[in-house]
Amino acid sequence: MPKGKVYLVGAGPGDPKLITVRGLEALKRSDAVVFDRLAGPQLLGQIPDSAERIYVGKRPDRHTMKQEDINQLLVDLALQGKTVCRLKGGDPTVFGRVGEEAELLKKNGISYEIIPGITSAIAVPAYAGIPVTHRDLASSFSVITGHESPDKLDRSIQWDKVTNATGTLVFLMGVAKIGYISEQLIKHGRPPSTPVALVRWGTRAEQETLTGTLEDIEEKVKAADFQPPAVIVVGNVVRQREELRWIEDKPLFGRRILVTRARSQASELSSRIDELGGEPYEFPVIETRMPERPDVIAAIRAALADAETYDWVLLTSVNGVEYFFRWLELCGIDIRRWHRAEFAAVGPATAAALKARGVIASPLPEKFRAEGLLDSLADRLKPGQRVLLPRGDLAREWLPEELRKLGLEAVEIDVYENALAAPKDRILLEMLEAGDIHAITFTSSSTVTNLLEALRRMGVDRPEETLRGIDIACIGPVTAKTAEEKGLRVAATAKTSTLEGLVQTLIELNAHRKK
Ligand code: SAH
Protein backbone atom coordinates (compact mmCIF):
# COMPACT_ATOMS: atom_id res chain seq x y z
CA MET A 1 0.00 0.00 0.00
CA PRO A 2 1.39 3.44 -0.84
CA LYS A 3 2.16 5.55 2.19
CA GLY A 4 -0.10 8.44 3.04
CA LYS A 5 0.92 11.94 3.85
CA VAL A 6 0.69 14.11 6.94
CA TYR A 7 -0.15 17.79 7.03
CA LEU A 8 0.95 19.48 10.25
CA VAL A 9 -1.48 22.37 10.22
CA GLY A 10 -1.83 25.47 12.34
CA ALA A 11 -5.52 26.05 13.04
CA GLY A 12 -5.07 29.60 14.27
CA PRO A 13 -6.15 30.82 17.69
CA GLY A 14 -9.84 29.85 17.60
CA ASP A 15 -11.77 32.15 15.29
CA PRO A 16 -12.47 29.64 12.51
CA LYS A 17 -11.68 32.19 9.83
CA LEU A 18 -8.13 32.57 11.10
CA ILE A 19 -6.86 29.39 9.49
CA THR A 20 -4.78 29.81 6.32
CA VAL A 21 -6.17 28.97 2.88
CA ARG A 22 -3.60 26.22 2.57
CA GLY A 23 -4.47 24.85 5.99
CA LEU A 24 -8.17 24.72 5.17
CA GLU A 25 -7.46 22.93 1.89
CA ALA A 26 -5.44 20.31 3.73
CA LEU A 27 -8.21 19.87 6.29
CA LYS A 28 -10.84 19.42 3.62
CA ARG A 29 -8.95 16.77 1.76
CA SER A 30 -7.93 14.64 4.71
CA ASP A 31 -9.02 11.10 5.54
CA ALA A 32 -8.19 11.49 9.21
CA VAL A 33 -7.92 14.53 11.44
CA VAL A 34 -6.02 14.46 14.72
CA PHE A 35 -6.88 17.47 16.88
CA ASP A 36 -6.89 18.84 20.40
CA ARG A 37 -8.94 21.38 22.30
CA LEU A 38 -7.30 24.54 21.04
CA ALA A 39 -8.54 23.95 17.49
CA GLY A 40 -11.79 25.95 17.22
CA PRO A 41 -15.00 23.92 17.13
CA GLN A 42 -16.32 25.39 13.88
CA LEU A 43 -13.24 24.37 11.98
CA LEU A 44 -14.03 20.80 12.80
CA GLY A 45 -17.23 21.29 10.84
CA GLN A 46 -15.04 21.58 7.73
CA ILE A 47 -13.80 18.03 8.13
CA PRO A 48 -15.36 15.82 5.45
CA ASP A 49 -18.03 13.47 6.83
CA SER A 50 -16.08 10.50 5.57
CA ALA A 51 -12.95 11.44 7.52
CA GLU A 52 -12.00 9.91 10.82
CA ARG A 53 -11.82 12.42 13.70
CA ILE A 54 -9.42 11.64 16.48
CA TYR A 55 -9.40 13.82 19.58
CA VAL A 56 -6.12 13.68 21.47
CA GLY A 57 -6.70 16.53 23.91
CA LYS A 58 -7.74 16.63 27.54
CA ARG A 59 -10.89 14.82 28.62
CA PRO A 60 -12.36 14.77 32.08
CA ASP A 61 -12.60 10.97 31.97
CA ARG A 62 -9.12 10.10 30.80
CA HIS A 63 -5.59 11.36 30.48
CA THR A 64 -4.34 13.41 27.62
CA MET A 65 -2.67 11.23 25.03
CA LYS A 66 1.09 11.23 25.50
CA GLN A 67 3.14 13.05 22.87
CA GLU A 68 4.99 9.85 21.88
CA ASP A 69 1.66 8.13 21.29
CA ILE A 70 0.44 11.00 19.12
CA ASN A 71 3.65 10.84 17.08
CA GLN A 72 3.13 7.12 16.60
CA LEU A 73 -0.56 7.59 15.76
CA LEU A 74 0.35 9.92 12.89
CA VAL A 75 2.82 7.36 11.56
CA ASP A 76 0.30 4.52 11.83
CA LEU A 77 -2.44 6.45 10.03
CA ALA A 78 -0.07 7.42 7.23
CA LEU A 79 1.13 3.84 6.91
CA GLN A 80 -2.50 2.86 6.30
CA GLY A 81 -2.28 5.09 3.23
CA LYS A 82 -4.29 7.93 4.73
CA THR A 83 -3.97 11.63 4.16
CA VAL A 84 -3.72 12.90 7.69
CA CYS A 85 -4.28 16.38 9.03
CA ARG A 86 -2.70 17.08 12.40
CA LEU A 87 -4.57 20.20 13.43
CA LYS A 88 -2.96 22.27 16.16
CA GLY A 89 -4.03 25.47 17.86
CA GLY A 90 -2.22 28.60 16.71
CA ASP A 91 1.00 27.88 14.86
CA PRO A 92 2.36 24.32 14.96
CA THR A 93 5.92 25.45 15.54
CA VAL A 94 5.16 27.66 18.54
CA PHE A 95 5.12 25.33 21.56
CA GLY A 96 3.32 22.87 19.33
CA ARG A 97 5.82 20.01 19.47
CA VAL A 98 5.72 19.78 15.72
CA GLY A 99 9.42 18.96 15.72
CA GLU A 100 8.88 15.67 17.49
CA GLU A 101 6.03 14.70 15.21
CA ALA A 102 7.93 15.57 12.05
CA GLU A 103 11.03 13.73 13.27
CA LEU A 104 9.24 10.42 13.65
CA LEU A 105 7.49 10.85 10.31
CA LYS A 106 10.83 11.45 8.66
CA LYS A 107 12.30 8.35 10.34
CA ASN A 108 9.47 6.31 8.88
CA GLY A 109 9.87 7.75 5.42
CA ILE A 110 6.50 9.49 5.50
CA SER A 111 6.20 12.78 3.69
CA TYR A 112 4.76 15.77 5.48
CA GLU A 113 4.12 19.46 5.13
CA ILE A 114 4.22 22.04 7.88
CA ILE A 115 1.48 24.59 7.27
CA PRO A 116 1.95 27.60 9.54
CA GLY A 117 -0.91 29.12 11.48
CA ILE A 118 -1.56 32.41 13.18
CA THR A 119 -0.10 32.07 16.63
CA SER A 120 -2.12 33.06 19.66
CA ALA A 121 0.96 34.93 20.88
CA ILE A 122 0.23 37.68 18.38
CA ALA A 123 -3.42 37.21 17.41
CA VAL A 124 -4.93 37.01 20.88
CA PRO A 125 -3.43 40.33 22.04
CA ALA A 126 -4.52 41.84 18.71
CA TYR A 127 -8.13 40.80 19.37
CA ALA A 128 -7.87 42.58 22.69
CA GLY A 129 -6.57 45.73 21.00
CA ILE A 130 -2.91 45.16 21.94
CA PRO A 131 -0.30 45.25 19.17
CA VAL A 132 2.80 43.31 20.27
CA THR A 133 5.10 45.93 18.75
CA HIS A 134 4.66 49.67 18.41
CA ARG A 135 6.87 52.34 16.87
CA ASP A 136 7.20 54.23 20.14
CA LEU A 137 6.57 51.57 22.75
CA ALA A 138 8.23 48.29 21.78
CA SER A 139 10.58 47.40 18.98
CA SER A 140 10.72 43.68 19.71
CA PHE A 141 8.73 40.96 21.38
CA SER A 142 9.61 37.65 22.95
CA VAL A 143 7.36 34.64 23.18
CA ILE A 144 8.09 32.65 26.32
CA THR A 145 6.65 29.49 27.83
CA GLY A 146 5.32 29.81 31.34
CA HIS A 147 4.51 26.16 31.60
CA GLU A 148 7.37 24.76 33.63
CA SER A 149 7.69 24.45 37.39
CA PRO A 150 9.60 27.42 38.95
CA ASP A 151 12.98 25.69 39.08
CA LYS A 152 12.65 24.52 35.50
CA LEU A 153 11.44 27.97 34.51
CA ASP A 154 14.58 29.36 36.06
CA ARG A 155 16.70 26.98 34.05
CA SER A 156 14.96 27.62 30.74
CA ILE A 157 14.41 31.33 31.11
CA GLN A 158 17.29 33.67 31.76
CA TRP A 159 15.26 36.14 33.74
CA ASP A 160 17.87 38.83 33.68
CA LYS A 161 18.08 38.77 29.90
CA VAL A 162 14.35 38.45 29.39
CA THR A 163 13.64 41.25 31.80
CA ASN A 164 16.07 43.60 30.21
CA ALA A 165 14.99 42.95 26.68
CA THR A 166 13.47 46.19 25.53
CA GLY A 167 10.34 44.80 24.04
CA THR A 168 7.04 43.19 24.85
CA LEU A 169 7.02 39.88 26.69
CA VAL A 170 4.35 37.36 25.74
CA PHE A 171 3.92 34.33 27.97
CA LEU A 172 1.94 31.31 26.85
CA MET A 173 0.75 28.65 29.30
CA GLY A 174 1.59 30.93 32.19
CA VAL A 175 -1.64 31.66 34.07
CA ALA A 176 -0.87 29.36 36.98
CA LYS A 177 2.60 30.88 37.31
CA ILE A 178 1.61 34.52 37.01
CA GLY A 179 2.78 35.31 40.54
CA TYR A 180 6.19 33.81 40.00
CA ILE A 181 6.61 35.41 36.59
CA SER A 182 5.78 38.91 37.87
CA GLU A 183 8.01 38.45 40.87
CA GLN A 184 10.99 37.49 38.72
CA LEU A 185 10.45 40.35 36.29
CA ILE A 186 10.30 42.87 39.12
CA LYS A 187 13.28 41.28 40.83
CA HIS A 188 15.35 41.61 37.68
CA GLY A 189 14.48 45.20 37.06
CA ARG A 190 11.15 45.75 35.33
CA PRO A 191 9.22 48.52 37.10
CA PRO A 192 6.37 47.16 39.25
CA SER A 193 4.03 49.55 37.44
CA THR A 194 4.63 47.81 34.08
CA PRO A 195 1.22 47.08 32.55
CA VAL A 196 0.14 43.45 32.13
CA ALA A 197 -2.82 41.93 30.33
CA LEU A 198 -4.19 38.40 30.41
CA VAL A 199 -6.43 37.44 27.54
CA ARG A 200 -8.23 34.13 27.81
CA TRP A 201 -9.86 32.25 24.95
CA GLY A 202 -8.90 35.08 22.62
CA THR A 203 -10.64 35.33 19.22
CA ARG A 204 -13.47 33.10 20.48
CA ALA A 205 -16.86 33.98 21.95
CA GLU A 206 -15.42 33.39 25.43
CA GLN A 207 -12.69 36.04 25.03
CA GLU A 208 -12.04 37.83 28.32
CA THR A 209 -9.33 40.30 29.26
CA LEU A 210 -7.89 41.24 32.62
CA THR A 211 -5.41 44.07 32.99
CA GLY A 212 -3.19 45.22 35.83
CA THR A 213 0.46 45.81 36.60
CA LEU A 214 3.30 43.48 37.52
CA GLU A 215 2.61 44.45 41.10
CA ASP A 216 -1.08 43.68 41.37
CA ILE A 217 -1.83 41.22 38.57
CA GLU A 218 -1.46 38.08 40.68
CA GLU A 219 -4.02 39.34 43.14
CA LYS A 220 -6.39 40.31 40.35
CA VAL A 221 -6.08 36.89 38.72
CA LYS A 222 -6.91 35.22 42.01
CA ALA A 223 -9.79 37.57 42.77
CA ALA A 224 -11.33 37.01 39.35
CA ASP A 225 -10.51 33.28 39.40
CA PHE A 226 -9.13 33.87 35.93
CA GLN A 227 -8.66 30.51 34.24
CA PRO A 228 -6.37 29.34 31.43
CA PRO A 229 -5.87 29.17 28.52
CA ALA A 230 -4.64 32.72 28.32
CA VAL A 231 -1.92 34.77 26.75
CA ILE A 232 -0.04 37.08 29.11
CA VAL A 233 1.29 40.31 27.66
CA VAL A 234 3.78 42.40 29.62
CA GLY A 235 4.87 45.86 28.48
CA ASN A 236 3.75 49.34 27.62
CA VAL A 237 1.87 48.17 24.52
CA VAL A 238 -0.85 46.99 26.90
CA ARG A 239 -1.86 50.64 27.39
CA GLN A 240 -2.85 50.78 23.73
CA ARG A 241 -5.84 48.62 24.55
CA GLU A 242 -7.84 51.51 25.97
CA GLU A 243 -7.77 53.18 22.60
CA LEU A 244 -7.56 50.25 20.23
CA ARG A 245 -9.99 47.71 21.64
CA TRP A 246 -12.41 46.85 18.89
CA ILE A 247 -14.15 43.47 18.82
CA GLU A 248 -15.43 43.75 22.38
CA ASP A 249 -17.44 46.81 21.40
CA LYS A 250 -19.36 45.06 18.65
CA PRO A 251 -23.01 44.37 19.42
CA LEU A 252 -22.85 40.56 19.29
CA PHE A 253 -19.44 40.13 20.90
CA GLY A 254 -19.28 37.17 23.22
CA ARG A 255 -22.25 35.35 21.71
CA ARG A 256 -22.01 31.96 20.06
CA ILE A 257 -25.17 31.64 18.02
CA LEU A 258 -26.63 28.52 16.50
CA VAL A 259 -27.78 28.85 12.89
CA THR A 260 -30.21 26.06 12.07
CA ARG A 261 -31.33 26.84 8.55
CA ALA A 262 -30.34 24.84 5.48
CA ARG A 263 -26.66 24.98 4.61
CA SER A 264 -27.45 26.62 1.28
CA GLN A 265 -29.18 29.48 3.09
CA ALA A 266 -27.16 29.72 6.27
CA SER A 267 -24.29 31.82 5.04
CA GLU A 268 -26.13 35.13 4.91
CA LEU A 269 -27.19 34.92 8.54
CA SER A 270 -23.80 33.58 9.60
CA SER A 271 -21.91 36.40 7.95
CA ARG A 272 -24.12 39.03 9.56
CA ILE A 273 -23.53 37.48 12.99
CA ASP A 274 -19.81 37.35 12.28
CA GLU A 275 -19.71 40.97 11.10
CA LEU A 276 -21.38 42.05 14.33
CA GLY A 277 -18.72 40.35 16.44
CA GLY A 278 -20.69 37.19 17.27
CA GLU A 279 -19.63 33.64 16.55
CA PRO A 280 -22.05 31.74 14.32
CA TYR A 281 -22.19 27.98 14.63
CA GLU A 282 -23.90 26.31 11.72
CA PHE A 283 -25.97 23.23 12.35
CA PRO A 284 -28.27 22.91 9.36
CA VAL A 285 -31.31 20.82 10.25
CA ILE A 286 -33.11 21.27 6.95
CA GLU A 287 -32.31 20.10 3.50
CA THR A 288 -34.39 20.98 0.51
CA ARG A 289 -34.54 18.61 -2.41
CA MET A 290 -36.47 17.90 -5.57
CA PRO A 291 -39.69 15.95 -4.94
CA GLU A 292 -39.62 12.30 -5.87
CA ARG A 293 -43.27 11.21 -5.76
CA PRO A 294 -44.56 10.63 -9.31
CA ASP A 295 -47.93 12.29 -8.62
CA VAL A 296 -46.23 15.43 -7.29
CA ILE A 297 -43.95 15.57 -10.32
CA ALA A 298 -46.84 15.03 -12.71
CA ALA A 299 -48.76 17.90 -11.07
CA ILE A 300 -45.80 20.23 -11.47
CA ARG A 301 -45.32 19.33 -15.12
CA ALA A 302 -49.02 19.78 -15.86
CA ALA A 303 -49.16 23.17 -14.15
CA LEU A 304 -46.07 24.48 -15.90
CA ALA A 305 -47.28 23.28 -19.29
CA ASP A 306 -50.26 25.63 -18.84
CA ALA A 307 -48.05 28.69 -18.38
CA GLU A 308 -50.22 30.97 -20.52
CA THR A 309 -53.35 30.33 -18.47
CA TYR A 310 -52.14 31.98 -15.24
CA ASP A 311 -52.89 35.51 -14.09
CA TRP A 312 -50.60 35.35 -11.07
CA VAL A 313 -47.54 33.51 -9.86
CA LEU A 314 -47.21 33.94 -6.09
CA LEU A 315 -43.88 33.06 -4.57
CA THR A 316 -43.54 32.78 -0.82
CA SER A 317 -39.86 31.91 -0.32
CA VAL A 318 -36.41 32.07 -1.85
CA ASN A 319 -36.43 28.29 -2.12
CA GLY A 320 -39.74 28.51 -3.97
CA VAL A 321 -38.12 30.81 -6.53
CA GLU A 322 -35.04 28.64 -6.91
CA TYR A 323 -36.93 25.43 -7.41
CA PHE A 324 -39.54 27.04 -9.68
CA PHE A 325 -36.75 28.04 -12.03
CA ARG A 326 -35.10 24.64 -11.73
CA TRP A 327 -38.34 23.07 -12.90
CA LEU A 328 -38.67 25.51 -15.80
CA GLU A 329 -35.21 24.50 -16.86
CA LEU A 330 -35.91 20.80 -16.42
CA CYS A 331 -39.14 20.96 -18.41
CA GLY A 332 -37.61 23.25 -21.04
CA ILE A 333 -40.18 26.00 -20.47
CA ASP A 334 -39.28 29.46 -21.69
CA ILE A 335 -39.86 32.23 -19.12
CA ARG A 336 -41.59 34.32 -21.81
CA ARG A 337 -44.46 31.86 -21.76
CA TRP A 338 -45.47 33.48 -18.45
CA HIS A 339 -46.11 36.84 -20.12
CA ARG A 340 -49.73 36.94 -18.98
CA ALA A 341 -48.96 36.36 -15.34
CA GLU A 342 -48.01 38.92 -12.78
CA PHE A 343 -45.44 37.79 -10.25
CA ALA A 344 -45.76 38.60 -6.56
CA ALA A 345 -43.34 37.81 -3.80
CA VAL A 346 -43.65 37.49 -0.05
CA GLY A 347 -40.82 39.39 1.57
CA PRO A 348 -37.87 41.29 0.17
CA ALA A 349 -35.55 38.27 -0.03
CA THR A 350 -38.01 36.41 -2.25
CA ALA A 351 -38.45 39.51 -4.40
CA ALA A 352 -34.68 39.84 -4.67
CA ALA A 353 -34.31 36.20 -5.75
CA LEU A 354 -36.84 36.86 -8.51
CA LYS A 355 -35.14 40.07 -9.52
CA ALA A 356 -31.84 38.24 -9.84
CA ARG A 357 -33.55 36.12 -12.49
CA GLY A 358 -34.85 39.13 -14.35
CA VAL A 359 -38.38 39.15 -12.93
CA ILE A 360 -39.62 42.18 -11.04
CA ALA A 361 -42.28 41.07 -8.58
CA SER A 362 -45.06 43.50 -7.96
CA PRO A 363 -46.18 44.83 -5.67
CA LEU A 364 -44.17 44.24 -2.55
CA PRO A 365 -46.41 43.33 0.37
CA GLU A 366 -46.39 45.60 3.39
CA LYS A 367 -46.15 42.86 5.96
CA PHE A 368 -43.89 39.92 5.56
CA ARG A 369 -46.08 37.20 6.92
CA ALA A 370 -48.09 35.35 4.32
CA GLU A 371 -51.16 36.96 5.87
CA GLY A 372 -49.96 40.42 4.88
CA LEU A 373 -49.59 39.54 1.25
CA LEU A 374 -53.22 39.39 0.26
CA ASP A 375 -54.09 42.74 1.85
CA SER A 376 -51.58 44.46 -0.35
CA LEU A 377 -52.89 42.76 -3.46
CA ALA A 378 -56.56 42.81 -2.48
CA ASP A 379 -57.79 45.34 -5.01
CA ARG A 380 -56.06 43.55 -7.86
CA LEU A 381 -57.15 39.99 -7.19
CA LYS A 382 -60.29 39.31 -9.23
CA PRO A 383 -62.64 36.34 -8.96
CA GLY A 384 -62.00 33.81 -11.67
CA GLN A 385 -58.29 34.54 -11.96
CA ARG A 386 -55.84 31.66 -11.90
CA VAL A 387 -53.00 31.76 -9.38
CA LEU A 388 -49.98 29.47 -9.37
CA LEU A 389 -48.34 28.84 -5.99
CA PRO A 390 -44.95 27.16 -6.38
CA ARG A 391 -43.85 26.23 -2.87
CA GLY A 392 -42.40 23.65 -0.52
CA ASP A 393 -44.28 20.63 0.73
CA LEU A 394 -44.62 22.12 4.23
CA ALA A 395 -46.21 25.40 3.16
CA ARG A 396 -49.23 26.37 5.18
CA GLU A 397 -52.71 26.08 3.71
CA TRP A 398 -53.75 29.60 4.63
CA LEU A 399 -52.86 31.30 1.38
CA PRO A 400 -54.64 29.06 -1.13
CA GLU A 401 -57.69 28.91 1.12
CA GLU A 402 -57.97 32.68 1.27
CA LEU A 403 -57.52 32.95 -2.47
CA ARG A 404 -60.31 30.46 -3.00
CA LYS A 405 -62.55 32.42 -0.61
CA LEU A 406 -62.00 35.43 -2.87
CA GLY A 407 -63.18 33.34 -5.81
CA LEU A 408 -59.81 32.74 -7.41
CA GLU A 409 -58.52 29.42 -8.62
CA ALA A 410 -55.38 28.51 -6.67
CA VAL A 411 -53.06 25.84 -8.05
CA GLU A 412 -50.41 24.66 -5.59
CA ILE A 413 -47.34 22.80 -6.72
CA ASP A 414 -44.75 21.42 -4.32
CA VAL A 415 -41.65 22.35 -6.31
CA TYR A 416 -39.41 21.21 -3.47
CA GLU A 417 -39.47 19.08 -0.37
CA ASN A 418 -38.13 19.90 3.07
CA ALA A 419 -36.24 17.03 4.55
CA LEU A 420 -34.73 16.59 7.96
CA ALA A 421 -31.00 16.91 7.94
CA ALA A 422 -29.67 15.33 11.09
CA PRO A 423 -25.93 15.63 11.12
CA LYS A 424 -24.29 13.97 14.11
CA ASP A 425 -22.34 16.68 15.80
CA ARG A 426 -20.83 15.64 19.10
CA ILE A 427 -19.04 18.93 19.50
CA LEU A 428 -22.33 20.79 19.33
CA LEU A 429 -23.81 18.47 21.91
CA GLU A 430 -20.92 19.09 24.27
CA MET A 431 -21.22 22.84 23.78
CA LEU A 432 -24.97 22.76 24.43
CA GLU A 433 -24.47 20.82 27.61
CA ALA A 434 -21.67 23.09 28.78
CA GLY A 435 -23.71 26.24 28.13
CA ASP A 436 -21.34 27.31 25.37
CA ILE A 437 -24.12 28.03 22.89
CA HIS A 438 -25.69 31.31 23.94
CA ALA A 439 -28.48 31.80 21.45
CA ILE A 440 -30.41 29.81 18.84
CA THR A 441 -32.01 31.23 15.73
CA PHE A 442 -35.12 29.69 14.21
CA THR A 443 -36.08 30.88 10.75
CA SER A 444 -39.09 28.61 10.20
CA SER A 445 -41.26 26.13 12.06
CA SER A 446 -39.41 23.25 10.52
CA THR A 447 -36.10 24.46 11.89
CA VAL A 448 -37.70 24.09 15.35
CA THR A 449 -39.10 20.62 14.89
CA ASN A 450 -36.04 19.41 13.04
CA LEU A 451 -33.56 20.67 15.63
CA LEU A 452 -35.44 18.83 18.37
CA GLU A 453 -35.54 15.69 16.22
CA ALA A 454 -31.85 15.98 15.28
CA LEU A 455 -30.95 16.21 18.99
CA ARG A 456 -33.12 13.20 19.77
CA ARG A 457 -31.29 11.26 17.08
CA MET A 458 -28.05 12.17 18.79
CA GLY A 459 -29.36 10.47 21.90
CA VAL A 460 -30.82 13.44 23.80
CA ASP A 461 -34.03 12.23 25.48
CA ARG A 462 -35.44 15.62 26.37
CA PRO A 463 -34.04 18.17 23.96
CA GLU A 464 -36.31 20.93 25.34
CA GLU A 465 -34.50 20.54 28.66
CA THR A 466 -31.09 20.74 27.03
CA LEU A 467 -32.07 24.01 25.37
CA ARG A 468 -33.31 25.62 28.60
CA GLY A 469 -31.44 28.78 29.44
CA ILE A 470 -30.35 29.43 25.87
CA ASP A 471 -31.81 32.58 24.27
CA ILE A 472 -34.18 31.46 21.55
CA ALA A 473 -34.85 34.00 18.81
CA CYS A 474 -37.52 33.42 16.17
CA ILE A 475 -37.99 35.11 12.82
CA GLY A 476 -41.74 35.53 13.20
CA PRO A 477 -44.86 34.72 15.22
CA VAL A 478 -45.64 31.47 13.43
CA THR A 479 -42.19 30.08 14.12
CA ALA A 480 -42.37 31.32 17.72
CA LYS A 481 -45.73 29.60 18.20
CA THR A 482 -44.29 26.31 17.00
CA ALA A 483 -41.36 26.69 19.38
CA GLU A 484 -43.66 27.38 22.35
CA GLU A 485 -45.87 24.44 21.42
CA LYS A 486 -42.82 22.19 21.44
CA GLY A 487 -41.99 23.26 24.97
CA LEU A 488 -39.32 25.85 24.25
CA ARG A 489 -39.25 29.26 25.88
CA VAL A 490 -38.89 31.94 23.23
CA ALA A 491 -36.76 34.87 24.39
CA ALA A 492 -37.71 37.17 21.51
CA THR A 493 -39.43 37.30 18.14
CA ALA A 494 -38.28 39.56 15.31
CA LYS A 495 -40.37 42.68 14.83
CA THR A 496 -40.05 42.39 11.07
CA SER A 497 -39.93 38.85 9.78
CA THR A 498 -36.67 39.18 7.87
CA LEU A 499 -33.13 38.01 8.54
CA GLU A 500 -32.18 41.58 9.42
CA GLY A 501 -35.12 41.72 11.82
CA LEU A 502 -33.85 38.52 13.42
CA VAL A 503 -30.34 39.97 13.68
CA GLN A 504 -31.74 43.08 15.40
CA THR A 505 -33.51 40.82 17.88
CA LEU A 506 -30.21 39.10 18.68
CA ILE A 507 -28.59 42.48 19.26
CA GLU A 508 -31.38 43.57 21.60
CA LEU A 509 -31.19 40.33 23.53
CA ASN A 510 -27.46 40.81 24.00
CA ALA A 511 -27.82 44.44 25.08
CA HIS A 512 -30.47 43.38 27.57
CA ARG A 513 -28.22 40.63 28.92
CA LYS A 514 -25.35 43.05 29.47
CA LYS A 515 -27.48 45.42 31.56
N1 SAH B 1 0.85 26.63 19.12
C1 SAH B 1 0.03 27.50 19.90
C2 SAH B 1 0.46 27.57 21.35
C3 SAH B 1 0.36 26.25 22.06
S1 SAH B 1 0.71 26.39 23.76
C4 SAH B 1 0.00 28.89 19.26
O1 SAH B 1 0.81 29.19 18.38
O2 SAH B 1 -0.87 29.67 19.63
C5 SAH B 1 -0.89 26.61 24.44
C6 SAH B 1 -1.04 28.01 24.99
O3 SAH B 1 -1.32 28.90 23.96
C7 SAH B 1 -2.17 28.20 25.96
O4 SAH B 1 -1.83 27.76 27.26
C8 SAH B 1 -2.36 29.68 25.91
O5 SAH B 1 -1.37 30.34 26.63
C9 SAH B 1 -2.12 29.95 24.46
N2 SAH B 1 -3.37 30.00 23.67
C10 SAH B 1 -3.65 29.30 22.57
N3 SAH B 1 -4.85 29.67 22.07
C11 SAH B 1 -5.32 30.63 22.87
C12 SAH B 1 -6.48 31.43 22.88
N4 SAH B 1 -7.44 31.31 21.94
N5 SAH B 1 -6.63 32.35 23.85
C13 SAH B 1 -5.69 32.51 24.81
N6 SAH B 1 -4.58 31.77 24.84
C14 SAH B 1 -4.37 30.86 23.89
Side-chain angles (χ1 to χ4, degrees), residues 35 71 106 119 149 174 220 257 291 298 343 381 442 462 490 502:
F35 64 100
N71 303 346
K106 183 131 253 177
T119 179
S149 55
K220 284 187 165 177
I257 299 166
F343 281 70
L381 295 171
F442 287 125
R462 308 195 50 151
V490 175
L502 184 60

Side-chain angles (χ1 to χ4, degrees), residues 290-302 327 417:
M290 294 290 267
E292 278 163 14
R293 272 175 39 202
D295 57 325
V296 174
I297 294 173
I300 297 170
R301 287 184 179 278
W327 278 105
E417 278 175 8

Side-chain angles (χ1 to χ4, degrees), residues 30 33 82 102 126 130-131 146 156 178 202 231 235 331 340 352 377-378 389 433 489 499:
S30 52
V33 181
K82 291 187 170 142
I130 304 170
S156 59
I178 184 68
V231 168
C331 300
R340 265 199 67 218
L377 292 178
L389 292 158
E433 277 159 7
R489 240 174 267 140
L499 276 194

Side-chain angles (χ1 to χ4, degrees), residues 340-361:
R340 265 199 67 218
E342 229 186 291
F343 281 70
V346 176
T350 310
L354 272 172
K355 196 172 171 196
R357 289 168 177 80
V359 178
I360 307 291

